[in-house]
Amino acid sequence: MKRERDVYYWQERSILKNLNSEWKEHIVFKIIDKDGYEGIGAATPESLYGETFKTTMAVIELLRRLTENFKDLGNLYDFEEQMNNLVKKDMASKTAVSLSICDYINNKKSLDISKMFFKKQKAENTTLQKIFWKKDLNILNIINKKNIKIEFLEKPSYKDVLETLKLCGNKNLWLDFRGKYNHYELRKLLKEIYTYNIIAIEQPVPPGREYHVSDFALDYAIFWDESIEKMEDILRINNIGTGFVLDITKFGGILNIKKALELSNLIGAETMLSTRIEHPQNLKWSKKIENSFDFIDIDINHYIEKTSK
């Protein structure tokens, strides 16, 4: 059977700096039709959600066949419905394919999907510099913004947290604990750090234990990240805390993050647009939609040396 278009996919790596990791692997997906119009998308597998580069590549092969033979990629909703029937969990593979189609539509029809789907702009929003923390990792040389988000990649001791906050001085601090503390540990820590300018706490307890924060939820803005993997999770914990952290790859592309944003806005929750260490093609879309969110956490230039094959 003759294909509707050609499809290619491959691996690219971001060479990292200011981290104790050498690189990050991305999957890149490209479409070319018979008239020469192209679209390209990319995403990064995340082990936290059960994704590896090998599993994502295997899933991409399924989506390659669908993308090659789907009649009209302009019917993006119909395509994503079929894609979701084929693939349930691997959001990195779905994101790479979905973004390539959005890019293809932009190039072929001069139709900017981001402007169509993200018309509501926030009058004000806050941009934060992302700082990853690990034991013995030097962060002092990269702290240069007023608003800082510290993401604790491993569980810090109380002493580690206090020493880290001292380095930040009078910055406005967003602390992402990634659910590494239990309720009692966190409550004790908050008594130690209350004098700092803490604007929000992200994922204070592990997923499934969100109600444990009720005794200090009124004292801090609380945002959930790892607790939300699907739309139903937003409704499940909508009355606990302040808002939700959304990123394009976690939700599987532009259409799904649009739905998550609309649902969050509908229930009156605040939103942060975040990102993994991503490929530039992925970050391009985050930058296109950033002004629809209350907080923006996609500043990772200080971690990427270069991205290439």
Side-chain angles (χ1 to χ4, degrees):
M1 185 174 69
K2 185 178 179 181
R3 297 189 300 266
E4 294 289 334
R5 62 197 61 84
D6 293 321
V7 171
Y8 307 91
Y9 60 91
W10 63 89
Q11 174 200 53
E12 291 192 10
R13 283 179 173 174
S14 286
I15 306 302
L16 304 180
K17 58 183 179 179
N18 297 318
L19 283 170
N20 58 358
S21 303
E22 292 185 54
W23 65 71
K24 197 76 171 177
E25 292 179 310
H26 315 291
I27 181 73
V28 183
F29 194 87
K30 186 175 183 179
I31 300 165
I32 305 177
D33 72 11
K34 63 181 186 302
D35 297 317
Y37 289 103
E38 300 182 357
I40 189 167
T44 304
E46 173 55 69
S47 58
L48 183 67
Y49 300 112
E51 301 168 352
T52 69
F53 185 77
K54 288 184 178 180
T55 59
T56 295
M57 287 289 278
V59 173
I60 280 284
E61 176 61 22
L62 286 175
L63 298 180
R64 175 189 65 81
R65 300 190 195 106
L66 173 64
T67 311
E68 282 179 339
N69 297 304
F70 195 83
K71 189 67 177 177
D72 183 5
L73 291 179
N75 293 325
L76 188 55
Y77 283 97
D78 292 343
F79 177 89
E80 294 227 347
E81 183 178 2
Q82 290 196 31
M83 179 169 66
N84 290 334
N85 288 335
L86 277 175
V87 180
K88 302 300 181 186
K89 289 284 289 183
D90 195 292
M91 294 302 181
S93 60
K94 292 200 280 190
T95 299
V97 174
S98 176
L99 293 184
S100 71
I101 295 175
C102 289
D103 190 49
Y104 171 75
I105 293 171
N106 284 0
N107 294 333
K108 186 177 180 67
K109 301 185 177 182
S110 299
L111 201 60
D112 192 331
I113 297 293
S114 64
K115 291 181 179 178
M116 290 178 57
F117 289 164
F118 294 83
K119 295 179 180 179
K120 185 177 180 180
Q121 306 293 301
K122 297 289 183 180
E124 295 183 11
N125 49 31
T126 301
T127 298
L128 297 101
Q129 181 189 17
K130 185 193 292 286
I131 302 292
F132 291 118
W133 182 93
K134 280 187 177 182
K135 188 73 173 178
D136 300 324
L137 186 66
N138 181 16
I139 66 171
L140 184 59
N141 64 325
I142 55 175
I143 297 175
N144 56 28
K145 300 288 175 61
K146 179 181 178 182
N147 302 308
I148 303 292
K149 174 179 171 179
I150 303 173
E151 185 171 338
F152 292 93
L153 298 180
E154 57 190 33
K155 185 176 180 178
S157 68
Y158 293 168
K159 181 181 177 182
D160 290 329
V161 175
L162 290 170
E163 289 179 350
T164 301
L165 299 194
K166 285 178 183 178
L167 293 177
C168 298
N170 61 355
K171 307 287 188 183
N172 297 322
L173 301 175
W174 181 299
L175 304 181
D176 179 6
F177 291 115
R178 301 186 74 177
K180 297 186 182 300
Y181 288 123
N182 64 40
H183 164 252
Y184 301 103
E185 292 172 325
L186 187 66
R187 186 167 61 178
K188 182 179 177 181
L189 175 64
L190 292 179
K191 291 179 181 178
E192 300 283 340
I193 63 176
Y194 75 95
T195 57
Y196 289 92
N197 301 326
I198 300 172
I199 59 175
I201 298 174
E202 182 177 327
Q203 199 62 44
V205 292
R209 302 180 185 177
E210 294 84 9
Y211 282 92
H212 291 186
V213 306
S214 58
D215 59 343
F216 54 79
L218 296 178
D219 299 324
Y220 295 93
I222 294 177
F223 283 72
W224 302 107
D225 183 0
E226 286 81 5
S227 287
I228 53 167
E229 291 188 44
K230 52 187 182 297
M231 229 68 68
E232 292 84 350
D233 292 326
I234 293 176
L235 294 175
R236 177 176 62 87
I237 56 176
N238 76 84
N239 62 339
I240 313 170
T242 310
F244 304 104
V245 179
L246 312 178
D247 80 66
I248 288 175
T249 301
K250 181 167 74 172
F251 280 93
I254 289 294
L255 288 187
N256 285 336
I257 196 174
K258 169 183 175 286
K259 294 174 185 175
L261 176 64
E262 288 178 341
L263 180 56
S264 300
N265 289 337
L266 182 65
I267 63 177
E270 295 183 6
T271 55
M272 167 183 268
L273 176 65
S274 190
T275 184
R276 310 170 184 184
I277 296 289
E278 277 288 6
H279 189 280
Q281 286 292 336
N282 189 292
L283 288 171
K284 176 183 76 174
W285 287 94
S286 288
K287 291 173 182 174
K288 280 174 172 282
I289 67 175
E290 64 181 4
N291 288 330
S292 294
F293 296 78
D294 299 292
F295 299 91
I296 305 162
D297 166 32
I298 59 174
D299 177 8
I300 58 171
N301 288 334
H302 48 293
Y303 286 124
I304 298 180
E305 187 75 44
K306 64 176 181 178
T307 301
S308 60
K309 290 185 180 180

PDB file of all heavy atoms in Angstrom, residues 73-103:
ATOM      1  N   LEU A  73      -3.697  14.668   8.139  1.00  0.00           N
ATOM      2  CA  LEU A  73      -3.169  15.035   9.446  1.00  0.00           C
ATOM      3  C   LEU A  73      -3.758  16.342   9.969  1.00  0.00           C
ATOM      4  O   LEU A  73      -3.577  16.686  11.137  1.00  0.00           O
ATOM      5  CB  LEU A  73      -1.643  15.152   9.377  1.00  0.00           C
ATOM      6  CG  LEU A  73      -0.880  13.840   9.171  1.00  0.00           C
ATOM      7  CD1 LEU A  73       0.613  14.097   9.099  1.00  0.00           C
ATOM      8  CD2 LEU A  73      -1.192  12.839  10.281  1.00  0.00           C
ATOM      9  N   GLY A  74      -4.465  17.069   9.103  1.00  0.00           N
ATOM     10  CA  GLY A  74      -5.154  18.271   9.561  1.00  0.00           C
ATOM     11  C   GLY A  74      -6.266  17.947  10.544  1.00  0.00           C
ATOM     12  O   GLY A  74      -6.664  18.801  11.347  1.00  0.00           O
ATOM     13  N   ASN A  75      -6.766  16.702  10.500  1.00  0.00           N
ATOM     14  CA  ASN A  75      -7.770  16.257  11.471  1.00  0.00           C
ATOM     15  C   ASN A  75      -7.045  15.792  12.739  1.00  0.00           C
ATOM     16  O   ASN A  75      -6.998  14.605  13.062  1.00  0.00           O
ATOM     17  CB  ASN A  75      -8.604  15.114  10.887  1.00  0.00           C
ATOM     18  CG  ASN A  75      -9.462  15.572   9.721  1.00  0.00           C
ATOM     19  OD1 ASN A  75      -9.953  16.704   9.715  1.00  0.00           O
ATOM     20  ND2 ASN A  75      -9.634  14.716   8.727  1.00  0.00           N
ATOM     21  N   LEU A  76      -6.487  16.751  13.447  1.00  0.00           N
ATOM     22  CA  LEU A  76      -5.605  16.441  14.567  1.00  0.00           C
ATOM     23  C   LEU A  76      -6.333  15.704  15.689  1.00  0.00           C
ATOM     24  O   LEU A  76      -5.787  14.771  16.294  1.00  0.00           O
ATOM     25  CB  LEU A  76      -4.982  17.735  15.097  1.00  0.00           C
ATOM     26  CG  LEU A  76      -3.885  17.599  16.158  1.00  0.00           C
ATOM     27  CD1 LEU A  76      -2.765  16.710  15.666  1.00  0.00           C
ATOM     28  CD2 LEU A  76      -3.342  18.970  16.537  1.00  0.00           C
ATOM     29  N   TYR A  77      -7.574  16.080  15.963  1.00  0.00           N
ATOM     30  CA  TYR A  77      -8.328  15.411  17.020  1.00  0.00           C
ATOM     31  C   TYR A  77      -8.567  13.943  16.678  1.00  0.00           C
ATOM     32  O   TYR A  77      -8.444  13.063  17.541  1.00  0.00           O
ATOM     33  CB  TYR A  77      -9.662  16.116  17.252  1.00  0.00           C
ATOM     34  CG  TYR A  77      -9.559  17.397  18.043  1.00  0.00           C
ATOM     35  CD1 TYR A  77      -9.510  18.628  17.405  1.00  0.00           C
ATOM     36  CD2 TYR A  77      -9.514  17.366  19.439  1.00  0.00           C
ATOM     37  CE1 TYR A  77      -9.404  19.807  18.130  1.00  0.00           C
ATOM     38  CE2 TYR A  77      -9.418  18.540  20.180  1.00  0.00           C
ATOM     39  CZ  TYR A  77      -9.356  19.756  19.519  1.00  0.00           C
ATOM     40  OH  TYR A  77      -9.249  20.920  20.248  1.00  0.00           O
ATOM     41  N   ASP A  78      -8.913  13.664  15.407  1.00  0.00           N
ATOM     42  CA  ASP A  78      -9.137  12.278  14.989  1.00  0.00           C
ATOM     43  C   ASP A  78      -7.850  11.476  15.064  1.00  0.00           C
ATOM     44  O   ASP A  78      -7.848  10.312  15.496  1.00  0.00           O
ATOM     45  CB  ASP A  78      -9.695  12.232  13.563  1.00  0.00           C
ATOM     46  CG  ASP A  78     -11.107  12.784  13.469  1.00  0.00           C
ATOM     47  OD1 ASP A  78     -11.772  12.890  14.525  1.00  0.00           O
ATOM     48  OD2 ASP A  78     -11.537  13.121  12.353  1.00  0.00           O
ATOM     49  N   PHE A  79      -6.744  12.098  14.662  1.00  0.00           N
ATOM     50  CA  PHE A  79      -5.468  11.397  14.725  1.00  0.00           C
ATOM     51  C   PHE A  79      -5.125  11.055  16.175  1.00  0.00           C
ATOM     52  O   PHE A  79      -4.724   9.922  16.476  1.00  0.00           O
ATOM     53  CB  PHE A  79      -4.347  12.244  14.118  1.00  0.00           C
ATOM     54  CG  PHE A  79      -3.000  11.583  14.220  1.00  0.00           C
ATOM     55  CD1 PHE A  79      -2.560  10.735  13.222  1.00  0.00           C
ATOM     56  CD2 PHE A  79      -2.176  11.788  15.330  1.00  0.00           C
ATOM     57  CE1 PHE A  79      -1.334  10.083  13.322  1.00  0.00           C
ATOM     58  CE2 PHE A  79      -0.951  11.149  15.446  1.00  0.00           C
ATOM     59  CZ  PHE A  79      -0.527  10.295  14.426  1.00  0.00           C
ATOM     60  N   GLU A  80      -5.268  12.020  17.078  1.00  0.00           N
ATOM     61  CA  GLU A  80      -4.895  11.778  18.473  1.00  0.00           C
ATOM     62  C   GLU A  80      -5.806  10.743  19.122  1.00  0.00           C
ATOM     63  O   GLU A  80      -5.367   9.990  20.002  1.00  0.00           O
ATOM     64  CB  GLU A  80      -4.900  13.088  19.256  1.00  0.00           C
ATOM     65  CG  GLU A  80      -3.830  14.064  18.791  1.00  0.00           C
ATOM     66  CD  GLU A  80      -3.051  14.683  19.945  1.00  0.00           C
ATOM     67  OE1 GLU A  80      -3.488  14.555  21.099  1.00  0.00           O
ATOM     68  OE2 GLU A  80      -2.006  15.286  19.669  1.00  0.00           O
ATOM     69  N   GLU A  81      -7.051  10.662  18.693  1.00  0.00           N
ATOM     70  CA  GLU A  81      -7.938   9.626  19.216  1.00  0.00           C
ATOM     71  C   GLU A  81      -7.420   8.242  18.833  1.00  0.00           C
ATOM     72  O   GLU A  81      -7.373   7.326  19.674  1.00  0.00           O
ATOM     73  CB  GLU A  81      -9.362   9.826  18.684  1.00  0.00           C
ATOM     74  CG  GLU A  81     -10.357   8.812  19.241  1.00  0.00           C
ATOM     75  CD  GLU A  81     -11.772   9.044  18.745  1.00  0.00           C
ATOM     76  OE1 GLU A  81     -11.976   9.963  17.929  1.00  0.00           O
ATOM     77  OE2 GLU A  81     -12.670   8.288  19.182  1.00  0.00           O
ATOM     78  N   GLN A  82      -7.007   8.094  17.578  1.00  0.00           N
ATOM     79  CA  GLN A  82      -6.455   6.804  17.147  1.00  0.00           C
ATOM     80  C   GLN A  82      -5.122   6.523  17.834  1.00  0.00           C
ATOM     81  O   GLN A  82      -4.819   5.389  18.194  1.00  0.00           O
ATOM     82  CB  GLN A  82      -6.288   6.785  15.627  1.00  0.00           C
ATOM     83  CG  GLN A  82      -7.603   6.749  14.876  1.00  0.00           C
ATOM     84  CD  GLN A  82      -7.428   6.344  13.424  1.00  0.00           C
ATOM     85  OE1 GLN A  82      -6.536   5.579  13.072  1.00  0.00           O
ATOM     86  NE2 GLN A  82      -8.292   6.870  12.563  1.00  0.00           N
ATOM     87  N   MET A  83      -4.307   7.567  17.999  1.00  0.00           N
ATOM     88  CA  MET A  83      -3.028   7.388  18.676  1.00  0.00           C
ATOM     89  C   MET A  83      -3.240   6.943  20.122  1.00  0.00           C
ATOM     90  O   MET A  83      -2.530   6.050  20.615  1.00  0.00           O
ATOM     91  CB  MET A  83      -2.228   8.689  18.629  1.00  0.00           C
ATOM     92  CG  MET A  83      -0.880   8.615  19.334  1.00  0.00           C
ATOM     93  SD  MET A  83       0.199  10.032  19.011  1.00  0.00           S
ATOM     94  CE  MET A  83      -0.728  11.356  19.789  1.00  0.00           C
ATOM     95  N   ASN A  84      -4.208   7.525  20.803  1.00  0.00           N
ATOM     96  CA  ASN A  84      -4.481   7.159  22.192  1.00  0.00           C
ATOM     97  C   ASN A  84      -5.012   5.733  22.312  1.00  0.00           C
ATOM     98  O   ASN A  84      -4.801   5.072  23.328  1.00  0.00           O
ATOM     99  CB  ASN A  84      -5.469   8.145  22.813  1.00  0.00           C
ATOM    100  CG  ASN A  84      -4.865   9.515  23.025  1.00  0.00           C
ATOM    101  OD1 ASN A  84      -3.656   9.654  23.182  1.00  0.00           O
ATOM    102  ND2 ASN A  84      -5.706  10.537  23.021  1.00  0.00           N
ATOM    103  N   ASN A  85      -5.704   5.263  21.277  1.00  0.00           N
ATOM    104  CA  ASN A  85      -6.173   3.877  21.271  1.00  0.00           C
ATOM    105  C   ASN A  85      -5.006   2.902  21.134  1.00  0.00           C
ATOM    106  O   ASN A  85      -5.038   1.796  21.674  1.00  0.00           O
ATOM    107  CB  ASN A  85      -7.172   3.650  20.136  1.00  0.00           C
ATOM    108  CG  ASN A  85      -8.509   4.318  20.395  1.00  0.00           C
ATOM    109  OD1 ASN A  85      -8.886   4.554  21.545  1.00  0.00           O
ATOM    110  ND2 ASN A  85      -9.224   4.651  19.336  1.00  0.00           N
ATOM    111  N   LEU A  86      -3.978   3.318  20.408  1.00  0.00           N
ATOM    112  CA  LEU A  86      -2.798   2.479  20.216  1.00  0.00           C
ATOM    113  C   LEU A  86      -1.863   2.516  21.427  1.00  0.00           C
ATOM    114  O   LEU A  86      -1.287   1.496  21.810  1.00  0.00           O
ATOM    115  CB  LEU A  86      -2.004   2.941  18.986  1.00  0.00           C
ATOM    116  CG  LEU A  86      -2.441   2.445  17.614  1.00  0.00           C
ATOM    117  CD1 LEU A  86      -1.598   3.109  16.528  1.00  0.00           C
ATOM    118  CD2 LEU A  86      -2.303   0.931  17.522  1.00  0.00           C
ATOM    119  N   VAL A  87      -1.695   3.703  22.012  1.00  0.00           N
ATOM    120  CA  VAL A  87      -0.707   3.912  23.072  1.00  0.00           C
ATOM    121  C   VAL A  87      -1.393   4.522  24.288  1.00  0.00           C
ATOM    122  O   VAL A  87      -1.976   5.602  24.190  1.00  0.00           O
ATOM    123  CB  VAL A  87       0.434   4.839  22.587  1.00  0.00           C
ATOM    124  CG1 VAL A  87       1.455   5.050  23.690  1.00  0.00           C
ATOM    125  CG2 VAL A  87       1.090   4.272  21.337  1.00  0.00           C
ATOM    126  N   LYS A  88      -1.302   3.858  25.422  1.00  0.00           N
ATOM    127  CA  LYS A  88      -1.960   4.343  26.630  1.00  0.00           C
ATOM    128  C   LYS A  88      -1.035   5.185  27.502  1.00  0.00           C
ATOM    129  O   LYS A  88      -1.407   6.242  27.990  1.00  0.00           O
ATOM    130  CB  LYS A  88      -2.493   3.158  27.447  1.00  0.00           C
ATOM    131  CG  LYS A  88      -3.472   2.272  26.692  1.00  0.00           C
ATOM    132  CD  LYS A  88      -4.698   3.043  26.229  1.00  0.00           C
ATOM    133  CE  LYS A  88      -5.679   2.113  25.504  1.00  0.00           C
ATOM    134  NZ  LYS A  88      -6.819   2.863  24.929  1.00  0.00           N
ATOM    135  N   LYS A  89       0.192   4.726  27.727  1.00  0.00           N
ATOM    136  CA  LYS A  89       1.007   5.299  28.789  1.00  0.00           C
ATOM    137  C   LYS A  89       2.191   6.145  28.315  1.00  0.00           C
ATOM    138  O   LYS A  89       2.530   7.124  28.962  1.00  0.00           O
ATOM    139  CB  LYS A  89       1.545   4.162  29.682  1.00  0.00           C
ATOM    140  CG  LYS A  89       0.501   3.513  30.546  1.00  0.00           C
ATOM    141  CD  LYS A  89       0.113   4.356  31.744  1.00  0.00           C
ATOM    142  CE  LYS A  89       1.210   4.411  32.780  1.00  0.00           C
ATOM    143  NZ  LYS A  89       0.810   5.172  33.985  1.00  0.00           N
ATOM    144  N   ASP A  90       2.860   5.757  27.255  1.00  0.00           N
ATOM    145  CA  ASP A  90       4.131   6.395  26.911  1.00  0.00           C
ATOM    146  C   ASP A  90       3.899   7.787  26.312  1.00  0.00           C
ATOM    147  O   ASP A  90       3.673   7.954  25.114  1.00  0.00           O
ATOM    148  CB  ASP A  90       4.922   5.533  25.924  1.00  0.00           C
ATOM    149  CG  ASP A  90       6.369   5.967  25.822  1.00  0.00           C
ATOM    150  OD1 ASP A  90       6.622   7.071  25.303  1.00  0.00           O
ATOM    151  OD2 ASP A  90       7.251   5.218  26.259  1.00  0.00           O
ATOM    152  N   MET A  91       3.959   8.800  27.166  1.00  0.00           N
ATOM    153  CA  MET A  91       3.647  10.157  26.749  1.00  0.00           C
ATOM    154  C   MET A  91       4.766  10.781  25.916  1.00  0.00           C
ATOM    155  O   MET A  91       4.505  11.664  25.095  1.00  0.00           O
ATOM    156  CB  MET A  91       3.360  11.030  27.968  1.00  0.00           C
ATOM    157  CG  MET A  91       2.104  10.642  28.717  1.00  0.00           C
ATOM    158  SD  MET A  91       0.631  10.708  27.652  1.00  0.00           S
ATOM    159  CE  MET A  91      -0.648  10.251  28.813  1.00  0.00           C
ATOM    160  N   ALA A  92       6.006  10.348  26.116  1.00  0.00           N
ATOM    161  CA  ALA A  92       7.107  10.910  25.331  1.00  0.00           C
ATOM    162  C   ALA A  92       6.928  10.595  23.850  1.00  0.00           C
ATOM    163  O   ALA A  92       7.112  11.467  22.991  1.00  0.00           O
ATOM    164  CB  ALA A  92       8.443  10.373  25.835  1.00  0.00           C
ATOM    165  N   SER A  93       6.560   9.362  23.529  1.00  0.00           N
ATOM    166  CA  SER A  93       6.363   8.994  22.126  1.00  0.00           C
ATOM    167  C   SER A  93       5.197   9.769  21.521  1.00  0.00           C
ATOM    168  O   SER A  93       5.285  10.294  20.404  1.00  0.00           O
ATOM    169  CB  SER A  93       6.120   7.494  21.992  1.00  0.00           C
ATOM    170  OG  SER A  93       4.972   7.092  22.717  1.00  0.00           O
ATOM    171  N   LYS A  94       4.100   9.876  22.272  1.00  0.00           N
ATOM    172  CA  LYS A  94       2.931  10.603  21.753  1.00  0.00           C
ATOM    173  C   LYS A  94       3.239  12.084  21.556  1.00  0.00           C
ATOM    174  O   LYS A  94       2.787  12.706  20.600  1.00  0.00           O
ATOM    175  CB  LYS A  94       1.741  10.419  22.697  1.00  0.00           C
ATOM    176  CG  LYS A  94       1.214   8.995  22.726  1.00  0.00           C
ATOM    177  CD  LYS A  94      -0.193   8.900  23.246  1.00  0.00           C
ATOM    178  CE  LYS A  94      -0.268   8.962  24.732  1.00  0.00           C
ATOM    179  NZ  LYS A  94      -1.626   8.634  25.245  1.00  0.00           N
ATOM    180  N   THR A  95       4.033  12.638  22.462  1.00  0.00           N
ATOM    181  CA  THR A  95       4.375  14.055  22.352  1.00  0.00           C
ATOM    182  C   THR A  95       5.218  14.329  21.119  1.00  0.00           C
ATOM    183  O   THR A  95       4.967  15.295  20.380  1.00  0.00           O
ATOM    184  CB  THR A  95       5.136  14.520  23.606  1.00  0.00           C
ATOM    185  OG1 THR A  95       4.302  14.347  24.750  1.00  0.00           O
ATOM    186  CG2 THR A  95       5.534  15.981  23.492  1.00  0.00           C
ATOM    187  N   ALA A  96       6.229  13.512  20.872  1.00  0.00           N
ATOM    188  CA  ALA A  96       7.092  13.719  19.704  1.00  0.00           C
ATOM    189  C   ALA A  96       6.279  13.681  18.419  1.00  0.00           C
ATOM    190  O   ALA A  96       6.450  14.526  17.523  1.00  0.00           O
ATOM    191  CB  ALA A  96       8.192  12.665  19.673  1.00  0.00           C
ATOM    192  N   VAL A  97       5.352  12.735  18.317  1.00  0.00           N
ATOM    193  CA  VAL A  97       4.520  12.618  17.122  1.00  0.00           C
ATOM    194  C   VAL A  97       3.538  13.786  17.026  1.00  0.00           C
ATOM    195  O   VAL A  97       3.382  14.411  15.967  1.00  0.00           O
ATOM    196  CB  VAL A  97       3.770  11.276  17.122  1.00  0.00           C
ATOM    197  CG1 VAL A  97       2.792  11.208  15.944  1.00  0.00           C
ATOM    198  CG2 VAL A  97       4.763  10.118  17.056  1.00  0.00           C
ATOM    199  N   SER A  98       2.875  14.094  18.137  1.00  0.00           N
ATOM    200  CA  SER A  98       1.889  15.178  18.148  1.00  0.00           C
ATOM    201  C   SER A  98       2.517  16.518  17.772  1.00  0.00           C
ATOM    202  O   SER A  98       1.945  17.284  16.973  1.00  0.00           O
ATOM    203  CB  SER A  98       1.244  15.261  19.528  1.00  0.00           C
ATOM    204  OG  SER A  98       0.357  16.352  19.616  1.00  0.00           O
ATOM    205  N   LEU A  99       3.691  16.816  18.324  1.00  0.00           N
ATOM    206  CA  LEU A  99       4.344  18.091  18.006  1.00  0.00           C
ATOM    207  C   LEU A  99       4.805  18.140  16.560  1.00  0.00           C
ATOM    208  O   LEU A  99       4.780  19.210  15.934  1.00  0.00           O
ATOM    209  CB  LEU A  99       5.528  18.321  18.943  1.00  0.00           C
ATOM    210  CG  LEU A  99       5.205  18.553  20.418  1.00  0.00           C
ATOM    211  CD1 LEU A  99       6.478  18.858  21.208  1.00  0.00           C
ATOM    212  CD2 LEU A  99       4.196  19.683  20.611  1.00  0.00           C
ATOM    213  N   SER A 100       5.203  17.005  16.014  1.00  0.00           N
ATOM    214  CA  SER A 100       5.610  16.991  14.597  1.00  0.00           C
ATOM    215  C   SER A 100       4.415  17.309  13.696  1.00  0.00           C
ATOM    216  O   SER A 100       4.551  18.012  12.689  1.00  0.00           O
ATOM    217  CB  SER A 100       6.223  15.640  14.220  1.00  0.00           C
ATOM    218  OG  SER A 100       5.246  14.619  14.168  1.00  0.00           O
ATOM    219  N   ILE A 101       3.240  16.825  14.076  1.00  0.00           N
ATOM    220  CA  ILE A 101       2.040  17.109  13.283  1.00  0.00           C
ATOM    221  C   ILE A 101       1.642  18.577  13.421  1.00  0.00           C
ATOM    222  O   ILE A 101       1.265  19.229  12.430  1.00  0.00           O
ATOM    223  CB  ILE A 101       0.892  16.175  13.697  1.00  0.00           C
ATOM    224  CG1 ILE A 101       1.251  14.729  13.354  1.00  0.00           C
ATOM    225  CG2 ILE A 101      -0.413  16.577  13.006  1.00  0.00           C
ATOM    226  CD1 ILE A 101       0.246  13.716  13.837  1.00  0.00           C
ATOM    227  N   CYS A 102       1.728  19.116  14.617  1.00  0.00           N
ATOM    228  CA  CYS A 102       1.434  20.543  14.813  1.00  0.00           C
ATOM    229  C   CYS A 102       2.385  21.397  13.966  1.00  0.00           C
ATOM    230  O   CYS A 102       1.967  22.379  13.345  1.00  0.00           O
ATOM    231  CB  CYS A 102       1.561  20.915  16.288  1.00  0.00           C
ATOM    232  SG  CYS A 102       0.265  20.244  17.342  1.00  0.00           S
ATOM    233  N   ASP A 103       3.650  21.022  13.971  1.00  0.00           N
ATOM    234  CA  ASP A 103       4.646  21.751  13.175  1.00  0.00           C
ATOM    235  C   ASP A 103       4.360  21.611  11.685  1.00  0.00           C
ATOM    236  O   ASP A 103       4.474  22.573  10.914  1.00  0.00           O
ATOM    237  CB  ASP A 103       6.035  21.211  13.508  1.00  0.00           C
ATOM    238  CG  ASP A 103       7.154  22.065  12.927  1.00  0.00           C
ATOM    239  OD1 ASP A 103       7.106  23.306  13.107  1.00  0.00           O
ATOM    240  OD2 ASP A 103       8.077  21.504  12.306  1.00  0.00           O
TER     241      ASP A 103
END
